[in-house]
Amino acid sequence: ADPGRVCVFGWSYGGYATLAAMTLTPDRYRCGIAGAGVSHIAAMMEYEQERLGGGSQLYWARNIGDWRGRHRENVDAISPALHAGRVQAPLMIIHGTEDIVVPFEQAEIMAEAMDAAGRPYELVVIEGGRHYSSQMTTSHKRQLYENLIAFLQEHNPPE
C-alpha cells in the first residue's frame, strides 16, 4: 500500500480501532472513518454498569483492567477522546442515535473532544440508526454509504 494514501475505517470495535489509530499513531493515516466506536472507555464502562445488571463489566475488567481503580491510567491512555488533540488527518465519526450496543453518547464525547482540541471532523448522525447494519433501514444505509463515498472522494480521491 502507498503509505501516503492510507485511510483507516472500521465499525464497532473497528470504530474504536479507527479512533485509536487516529489518536495514538496519527502520522500514519491520510484520513479516518469511525463508525459506532467507543471513544471514552471509562464512560462506556459506566454505561455497561447500568445495562443488564452490569454483568459485562466482569468481562471488561478481565480484558482491559479495572478502570475504576489502579488500571484507570492505562485505560485513559487508550481512550481516543482523551487524546483528540493528536489527530492530524481528516476524521469522520458516524453513529446511529438508537445504538444500544455502543451508545450515541460515545460519538458526542469524541465530537466534544475534537471541538475542545480545535481539530476538524465530520459527524454523521444517523437518526434512528441502530448498531448493526442488518438492523439499518435502506435510508440509513444510503446515508451511511453516501457519506463514506463523499468523505473518501474529498480526502483520499482515486488518482
Side-chain angles (χ1 to χ4, degrees):
D2 178 348
R5 294 189 43 79
V6 177
C7 184
V8 60
F9 165 69
W11 197 270
S12 192
Y13 175 79
Y16 163 75
T18 296
L19 294 172
M22 296 294 286
T23 57
L24 302 178
T25 55
D27 56 329
R28 295 185 181 174
Y29 304 99
R30 185 169 178 171
C31 59
I33 303 168
V38 171
S39 65
H40 193 291
I41 295 171
M44 183 67 191
M45 294 305 98
E46 290 172 17
Y47 169 77
E48 287 292 335
Q49 183 174 332
E50 297 172 12
R51 293 181 65 215
L52 308 172
S56 66
Q57 287 189 326
L58 296 175
Y59 167 82
W60 288 112
R62 282 192 303 270
N63 287 281
I64 64 171
D66 191 343
W67 60 95
R68 298 163 290 194
R70 63 186 178 99
H71 297 284
R72 179 60 183 252
E73 187 176 306
N74 296 339
V75 170
D76 287 350
I78 58 170
S79 290
L82 300 178
H83 308 287
R86 296 181 185 168
V87 174
Q88 297 176 14
L91 173 63
M92 176 182 277
I93 303 164
I94 305 173
H95 215 115
T97 60
E98 298 300 317
D99 188 334
I100 62 170
V101 176
V102 176
F104 180 71
E105 174 190 34
Q106 288 289 315
E108 294 174 314
I109 290 169
M110 190 66 192
E112 289 170 10
M114 294 292 285
D115 285 337
R119 297 290 193 246
Y121 66 95
E122 293 180 43
L123 176 61
V124 176
V125 178
I126 301 176
E127 288 295 335
R130 305 289 299 256
H131 187 75
Y132 301 105
S133 61
S134 62
Q135 296 175 337
M136 287 186 184
T137 66
T138 301
S139 68
H140 292 154
K141 290 177 185 178
R142 179 172 290 125
Q143 181 184 5
L144 168 67
Y145 293 117
E146 286 176 354
N147 279 281
L148 287 174
I149 290 168
F151 183 83
L152 289 170
Q153 285 179 332
E154 179 179 351
H155 299 292
N156 202 7
E159 297 177 334

